[in-house]
Amino acid sequence: MNALFMDFLTIQLPTYFFLYMAITLLYRNRKSMINRIAALLMMALLLYFLFEYLKTSLLPEYQMQLVLYGSSPALLLFVSTLVHLSILMGDQITRPLRKWLPIVYASPYTLWLYFLLFWDHQKLYNVHVTDGRSPLHPTYLLVSIAFIIGYIFLSVLLLAYSWLRSREQRRKRIYRSLLLNDFQLFGTFALITVLLQSGVIITRVSMIFYFIGYLVWAMRLRHLIGKYNIMPDYRKLFQILFESAPNAILLLDLKGNVKEMNPRAQQWFSDIPMEQISTQFELENGQHLQQMLSSQTDQRPNGQHLEMRIQNQGQTHLDMIGGIDLITGANEDLFVLHLTDVTSLKETERRLIQSEQNYKHSAQHDVLTGLYNRAAVEEQLQLKMDHQERFALVMVDLNHFKPINDTYGHVVGDQYLQYVAQLLRTLAQKPGDLIGRIGGDEFVLLLAYPEHVDISQMVHTRLSLLDNKIFSQDDIEIPVSFAAGLSIYPQDAADIIGLLRYADQQMYNRKRQNRFDPILQVNE
């Protein structure tokens, strides 16, 4: 669950910046070819990192298909549109080169289709490569890298050519800044690729570095566009992004009251009045979100990540992970709370924990009686001896259990054992006491005792609670009869085998002394 959350924070969530860039470019001037191609470039980056996120975190079993049919064409689209954008930015200087744009787009995609149609996909992408090397076939990888690096380098050459030929100072500054930005992108891609192929970093780490490099490049591009007014005022598009976001986003005042929320959040809280929404969030420590915000007056949880649950439509719960940030400088300070539904992941996690607990319980407990089994008893014995605890080991053997099975059948015999086990549980009166079944009709009691206590008398008092107990089932009545042996740690023995042997010997001595006791009675 932690790696998935980190991938979400470092890759998926920031990826929506490219969507924001694409929307702002189109909204400002949809008639401009530069804006349209730049928007297509941003969407190519969005698709590339979306497919990489799906491959890495959500659908690793389909990583071959996601890379060959998703990441590869998206990355080729990015570098192709980068060259296209560089040609368009050159305006009249690079206009003669526009006739070559079909070849710019067709060349990488023709080779990509060739590999997909005539090569074995299992060879193109070897899913068994998990040692950090690229799972792509060397030939396919070499061709892809050649196009990516070549097209980025071509974009640099086009901008450099435009910079050298331009006579307009404002355009020269734009070209120079864009040129430096492309150099950064080219250098980042080349360096990370070399580190990946040399084994210095693994694919997962390289993915994060690639994303950081592209993100820095896009942020620089946005700065240049805003600085030279290529893009218009994009404040209205914040509202579009707010409303179209797939995650729930809520704006809260400093007391935690909801001021506004996007359509996704409205869908989750459709049946709850707005003034009660903030009370529906329950944090991991049991505290409500509104209580947390209102109780922290000096230190606001800016940038804090939370795990919480919310009540959905008064019936089911939704498990959420979210982040909360404080926005200041406006008319009113507001918290922005964005939420992602991880209910299915949490449910899977809970099932795994429960399954592990069930397995551990089954491995340590007797199936019939629910008491500790022999292995668990020996483990507890060893722990008590390692901690130098004082305890008494009482071996209990039921008298004439075989005649019970022979006379009434194994079903009654099992019910009799369960009845005796329940009686023995009543003897565990202190936190350190333990009851176990180590054989067919043999039980063990580990009883803690304080210093200067007559342990023999204490055990006798405990076992006397079983006197005159009778198991009843239909017309059958079986008095509970047993023999018990006692060994004391460390007086009688200092190891597990010695303690069990001493108690066993004491028990059989007692059994021989009382071998004529009547055992079975049946109501007439």
Side-chain angles (χ1 to χ4, degrees), residues 112-261:
W112 171 68
L113 287 173
Y114 165 76
F115 280 110
L116 291 185
L117 293 175
F118 298 103
W119 284 56
D120 185 355
H121 292 186
Q122 301 293 337
K123 292 183 178 180
L124 285 178
Y125 191 94
N126 187 356
V127 297
H128 300 294
V129 175
T130 58
D131 57 359
R133 296 178 294 110
S134 174
L136 293 173
H137 189 278
T139 303
Y140 183 79
L141 180 63
L142 180 62
V143 171
S144 300
I145 291 177
F147 269 104
I148 294 170
I149 295 181
Y151 272 27
I152 295 176
F153 187 64
L154 177 59
S155 172
V156 170
L157 291 178
L158 289 170
L159 289 173
Y161 180 72
S162 301
W163 174 55
L164 292 173
R165 293 292 305 275
S166 177
R167 295 292 180 265
E168 186 179 341
Q169 291 301 315
R170 181 174 178 272
R171 282 188 173 272
K172 287 182 73 73
R173 290 195 298 270
I174 295 175
Y175 293 143
R176 183 175 58 196
S177 298
L178 291 172
L179 182 62
L180 293 174
N181 200 33
D182 276 5
F183 267 122
Q184 172 262 313
L185 182 63
F186 176 81
T188 300
F189 184 88
L191 176 62
I192 296 173
T193 302
V194 170
L195 293 176
L196 176 63
Q197 293 306 307
S198 61
V200 177
I201 59 176
I202 62 176
T203 303
R204 188 184 189 92
V205 175
S206 69
M207 181 61 204
I208 297 177
F209 284 143
Y210 278 132
F211 178 81
I212 294 174
Y214 283 115
L215 184 61
V216 171
W217 173 84
M219 291 175 64
R220 177 65 178 164
L221 180 63
R222 182 180 69 168
H223 170 74
L224 293 172
I225 291 173
K227 182 177 180 181
Y228 293 103
N229 201 28
I230 297 175
M231 278 179 51
D233 182 15
Y234 47 78
R235 286 175 293 180
K236 293 182 180 179
L237 291 178
F238 277 111
Q239 185 66 25
I240 296 176
L241 187 61
F242 175 74
E243 293 179 354
S244 62
N247 300 328
I249 303 176
L250 297 91
L251 300 180
L252 305 94
D253 62 19
L254 298 184
K255 294 183 178 180
N257 300 312
V258 177
K259 306 294 289 186
E260 190 175 352
M261 53 186 174

Side-chain angles (χ1 to χ4, degrees), residues 226-334:
K227 182 177 180 181
Y228 293 103
N229 201 28
I230 297 175
M231 278 179 51
D233 182 15
Y234 47 78
R235 286 175 293 180
K236 293 182 180 179
L237 291 178
F238 277 111
Q239 185 66 25
I240 296 176
L241 187 61
F242 175 74
E243 293 179 354
S244 62
N247 300 328
I249 303 176
L250 297 91
L251 300 180
L252 305 94
D253 62 19
L254 298 184
K255 294 183 178 180
N257 300 312
V258 177
K259 306 294 289 186
E260 190 175 352
M261 53 186 174
N262 70 345
R264 182 63 169 168
Q266 292 174 4
Q267 178 183 352
W268 287 348
F269 300 105
S270 59
D271 61 332
I272 303 174
M274 182 171 287
E275 62 273 11
Q276 298 180 14
I277 290 177
S278 58
T279 63
Q280 304 300 310
F281 293 87
E282 183 177 339
L283 305 182
E284 286 184 302
N285 58 6
Q287 189 180 27
H288 289 283
L289 176 66
Q290 192 175 38
Q291 296 172 341
M292 184 196 74
L293 295 178
S294 61
S295 63
Q296 298 185 13
T297 55
D298 298 328
Q299 185 177 0
R300 297 297 180 182
N302 195 30
Q304 183 176 352
H305 298 288
L306 307 170
E307 292 191 19
M308 62 188 73
R309 303 184 77 191
I310 62 174
Q311 188 75 27
N312 183 34
Q313 297 180 352
Q315 297 177 352
T316 61
H317 282 90
L318 293 178
D319 290 292
M320 294 288 160
I321 57 173
I324 186 166
D325 296 276
L326 179 63
I327 298 178
T328 60
N331 295 333
E332 181 184 8
D333 292 346
L334 294 173

Side-chain angles (χ1 to χ4, degrees), residues 57 78 109 142 225 301 419 497:
S57 302
F78 163 69
Y109 282 103
L142 180 62
I225 291 173
Y419 176 74
I497 295 176

Side-chain angles (χ1 to χ4, degrees), residues 276-455:
Q276 298 180 14
I277 290 177
S278 58
T279 63
Q280 304 300 310
F281 293 87
E282 183 177 339
L283 305 182
E284 286 184 302
N285 58 6
Q287 189 180 27
H288 289 283
L289 176 66
Q290 192 175 38
Q291 296 172 341
M292 184 196 74
L293 295 178
S294 61
S295 63
Q296 298 185 13
T297 55
D298 298 328
Q299 185 177 0
R300 297 297 180 182
N302 195 30
Q304 183 176 352
H305 298 288
L306 307 170
E307 292 191 19
M308 62 188 73
R309 303 184 77 191
I310 62 174
Q311 188 75 27
N312 183 34
Q313 297 180 352
Q315 297 177 352
T316 61
H317 282 90
L318 293 178
D319 290 292
M320 294 288 160
I321 57 173
I324 186 166
D325 296 276
L326 179 63
I327 298 178
T328 60
N331 295 333
E332 181 184 8
D333 292 346
L334 294 173
F335 285 113
V336 178
L337 175 65
H338 55 85
L339 301 169
T340 301
D341 186 359
V342 293
T343 304
S344 59
L345 294 176
K346 282 291 186 180
E347 185 60 32
T348 301
E349 181 182 2
R350 284 191 285 268
R351 286 199 298 267
L352 288 174
I353 293 174
Q354 184 61 46
S355 177
E356 181 181 359
Q357 292 174 346
N358 292 341
Y359 174 79
K360 185 176 181 180
H361 184 274
S362 299
Q364 293 184 335
H365 291 78
D366 174 53
V367 176
L368 178 64
T369 63
L371 301 176
Y372 279 109
N373 57 25
R374 186 181 189 93
V377 169
E378 292 180 354
E379 180 182 349
Q380 294 297 321
L381 273 171
Q382 189 62 53
L383 287 174
K384 287 178 176 295
M385 289 187 291
D386 291 343
H387 290 87
Q388 296 296 312
E389 297 181 22
R390 292 188 301 273
F391 65 90
L393 186 150
V394 182
M395 182 85 71
V396 175
D397 183 85
L398 301 180
N399 292 330
H400 304 291
F401 179 67
K402 186 177 183 303
I404 295 176
N405 275 334
D406 294 341
T407 304
Y408 305 112
H410 289 281
V411 173
V412 173
D414 289 346
Q415 293 173 342
Y416 176 65
L417 288 174
Q418 292 171 341
Y419 176 74
V420 172
Q422 187 60 38
L423 291 177
L424 292 176
R425 285 191 180 94
T426 63
L427 305 184
Q429 300 173 359
K430 295 183 179 180
D433 294 347
L434 182 146
I435 313 294
R437 181 189 178 204
I438 62 172
D441 59 349
E442 291 182 333
F443 298 85
V444 165
L445 288 76
L446 303 182
L447 304 177
Y449 68 94
E451 196 174 1
H452 308 304
V453 169
D454 187 341
I455 184 61

